Amino acid sequence: MAMPPDDSAVDSSVNILVMNAGSSSHKVRLYRIEGPGLPDDPPDPLWEGKIEWSAPGGAERTVTRNTAVDKATARETLPPGTARADGVSHLLEMLWRGGMAVLGGPDEVAAIGHRVVHGGRHLREPMRVTPDVMATIQELAPLAPEHNPAACEGMEITEKLFGQAAPGVAVFDTAFHRTIPDAATVYPGPYAWVEQGIRRYGFHGISHAWCAERAARMLVDHDPGTLRLICCHLGNGCSLAAVRGGQCVDTTMGFTPMEGLMMGSRAGSIDPGVLLHLLGQHGGPTLSDLGRVLNEESGLKGLSGVSEDLRAVLSAIDGGDERARLALDVYIHRLCWHIGAMTASLGGLDALVFTAGVGENSAVVRRAACRPFAFLGLALDEGKNAGVSETDPGTDRDISRADSRVRVLVIPAHEEWAVARECWRLTFAGKAA
Ligand code: ADP
């Protein structure tokens, strides 16, 4: 097993900025880490900023400052036509300018962590951002067109604003999956695909790694070297990871984040024959139409016709909407089917872990996902399951019955903190002031 990182180091406080760039939003968080080491539990960010590019009334910026003295939130619609780079630069400048400032200037940021969705075959560990690393991330853009270019843009902006004094660290969503054996990553197409890097990479790795680590800490009766977990990251995007002894052995997403589970607006796995059929039809969809349909008009949204948001689908079901019912049934069927596949990859199961928007908040989905696995001795505590709600964001918790042979855990996702932690480790660990 890898040596545990040395988390004792600096003895003064440092400010770590985290950039999380996506297609529809850009999230920024500032964490103040008081020396000499990392805290055991995720601290609240000192400052959070977010731009939602496709908010209903136009691009919207939300900033929250969370100091010992006060907590305040400011929301504003950006002027129409604001370029993304300008929007993000202005957001970052609010760290030290105007009413929401928490810093005296950009020089108070010590290091910057960037979440990067696709690291391909070569970028497999957190690493310093260099021109070469940025070039590789940019080259991988065709594999993550919504995310990798946005991450590179974020790196350019922070380099301009903060200079070389605040080193950048890239943390990759694909990295946790590097231990998956070839049997689970190779597609059974022609061998040329293997040579071209057309294989399964897996995503949501920062979240899965976090959940696996937190679950191992909770399950003190299990040997962490053999512990078998399935992490269910159920947000707008959904994926599972099968983790044995802290190492990922299988996952549901593949070459792109489109494979696997049914998601908010993504179809997940479907017979590729359906695509050939549609593309071959006279007057059928173009490639880009098909991409849009599979990414944005499928999943819960496509089937229900209501929304990609599970809450809206559930309330439509309460109102008797049959299509919404069908959408939820397919979502649950596919979730259970893939949990079964991950159980086979692990050769058994010690704990099922739920995280992200749906996983943390939907008792309905957790109950339905657990039901078929009673034969493994998995027994959910209905009261504890129902008790975990948005009004009780809480901490990590066990919602299985005392006699359950498989534990069921709810572990809040902390992707930005997980990036901040890696950034701190790479930049400061072992460098006592
Ligand atoms: P992302 O993948 O964009 O990070 P999140 O992890 O924030 O998404 O998850 C967002 C989804 O979580 C929403 O679309 C919604 O369907 C779901 N969600 C949030 N709260 C609840 C809830 N109380 N009940 C059911 N679903 C919820």
Side-chain angles (χ1 to χ4, degrees):
M1 277 179 82
M3 289 290 289
D6 172 8
D7 284 345
S8 62
V10 283
D11 55 15
S12 56
S13 78
V14 291
N15 294 318
I16 307 266
L17 187 69
V18 175
M19 302 275 284
N20 186 351
S23 54
S24 61
S25 70
H26 194 115
K27 294 183 207 163
V28 179
R29 283 192 174 184
L30 184 79
Y31 292 95
R32 177 158 295 166
I33 301 177
E34 312 283 349
L38 287 170
D40 274 351
D41 291 318
D44 287 333
L46 183 61
W47 189 96
E48 288 176 65
K50 183 177 183 181
I51 301 179
E52 286 182 273
W53 298 112
S54 39
E60 190 178 81
R61 177 175 68 204
T62 311
V63 171
T64 300
R65 48 175 272 156
N66 189 20
T67 66
V69 183
D70 71 336
K71 186 173 168 85
T73 297
R75 193 165 283 126
E76 200 180 328
T77 302
L78 299 180
T82 302
R84 284 191 178 223
D86 293 340
V88 174
S89 293
H90 289 143
L91 176 69
L92 290 169
E93 282 165 1
M94 290 176 76
L95 275 163
W96 61 89
R97 285 204 186 120
M100 300 305 283
V102 289
L103 301 178
D107 55 332
E108 289 181 20
V109 170
I112 301 156
H114 298 267
R115 175 185 174 221
V116 181
V117 163
H118 215 310
R121 273 185 294 182
H122 303 299
L123 307 180
R124 293 152 65 104
E125 301 282 350
M127 58 184 67
R128 277 287 171 86
V129 174
T130 64
D132 283 351
V133 167
M134 277 175 73
T136 309
I137 295 168
Q138 192 63 52
E139 276 164 27
L140 291 163
L143 303 188
E146 316 257 290
H147 293 94
N148 274 28
C152 281
E153 189 178 55
M155 290 169 190
E156 282 161 10
I157 293 167
T158 53
E159 205 176 292
K160 260 193 220 139
L161 281 177
F162 300 96
Q164 297 295 325
V169 170
V171 184
F172 301 94
D173 249 329
T174 41
F176 184 58
H177 304 295
R178 67 187 176 277
T179 48
I180 300 179
D182 289 347
T185 59
V186 170
Y187 286 112
Y191 190 74
W193 288 6
V194 179
E195 294 168 324
Q196 291 163 20
I198 299 178
R199 42 159 276 183
R200 307 183 65 242
Y201 289 99
F203 298 90
H204 290 145
I206 297 167
S207 167
H208 289 308
W210 173 262
C211 286
E213 183 189 317
R214 301 291 289 187
R217 277 168 48 140
M218 286 176 81
L219 302 172
V220 287
D221 293 341
H222 288 79
D223 173 359
T226 56
L227 181 66
R228 297 163 303 182
L229 304 168
I230 297 174
C231 302
C232 308
H233 180 108
L234 308 176
N236 280 316
C238 301
S239 75
L240 307 181
V243 183
R244 190 193 298 122
Q247 301 222 316
C248 189
V249 297
D250 208 347
T251 193
T252 55
M253 283 180 169
F255 181 62
T256 72
M258 291 169 73
E259 190 178 340
L261 300 174
M262 172 172 157
M263 315 184 200
S265 65
R266 273 173 262 171
S269 293
I270 55 167
D271 178 355
V274 173
L275 309 183
L276 296 178
H277 167 77
L278 292 171
L279 286 171
Q281 272 178 340
H282 183 66
T286 63
L287 263 185
S288 78
D289 288 341
L290 207 49
R292 196 190 59 251
V293 167
L294 291 170
N295 273 310
E296 297 167 28
E297 294 167 14
S298 298
L300 284 173
K301 182 180 173 189
L303 273 186
S304 70
V306 173
S307 170
E308 62 199 72
D309 191 316
L310 181 69
R311 288 165 290 197
V313 175
L314 291 173
S315 60
I317 293 172
D318 286 344
D321 186 322
E322 287 300 321
R323 269 179 62 182
R325 176 82 254 166
L326 174 68
L328 181 68
D329 288 349
V330 178
Y331 182 95
I332 297 295
H333 172 78
R334 286 178 166 246
L335 176 56
C336 296
W337 176 29
H338 282 88
I339 291 173
M342 294 295 114
T343 306
S345 292
L346 290 169
L349 185 60
D350 297 311
L352 190 60
V353 184
F354 290 96
T355 193
V358 174
E360 289 167 36
N361 297 303
S362 177
V364 171
V365 167
R366 288 192 300 260
R367 187 186 320 113
C370 287
R371 192 173 296 131
F373 299 100
F375 78 96
L376 291 175
L378 185 159
L380 195 61
D381 181 314
E382 293 293 346
K384 288 183 183 164
N385 183 41
V388 184
S389 72
E390 256 184 326
T391 51
D392 180 15
T395 50
D396 307 343
R397 67 194 68 201
D398 187 332
I399 56 166
S400 41
R401 277 195 343 224
D403 61 346
S404 180
R405 270 188 278 136
V406 177
R407 309 312 308 163
V408 184
L409 310 179
V410 178
I411 297 185
H414 284 283
E415 280 169 302
E416 281 88 8
W417 168 244
V419 171
R421 212 171 54 147
E422 293 304 333
C423 177
W424 186 92
R425 283 176 177 153
L426 203 73
T427 314
F428 299 109
K431 294 179 189 156

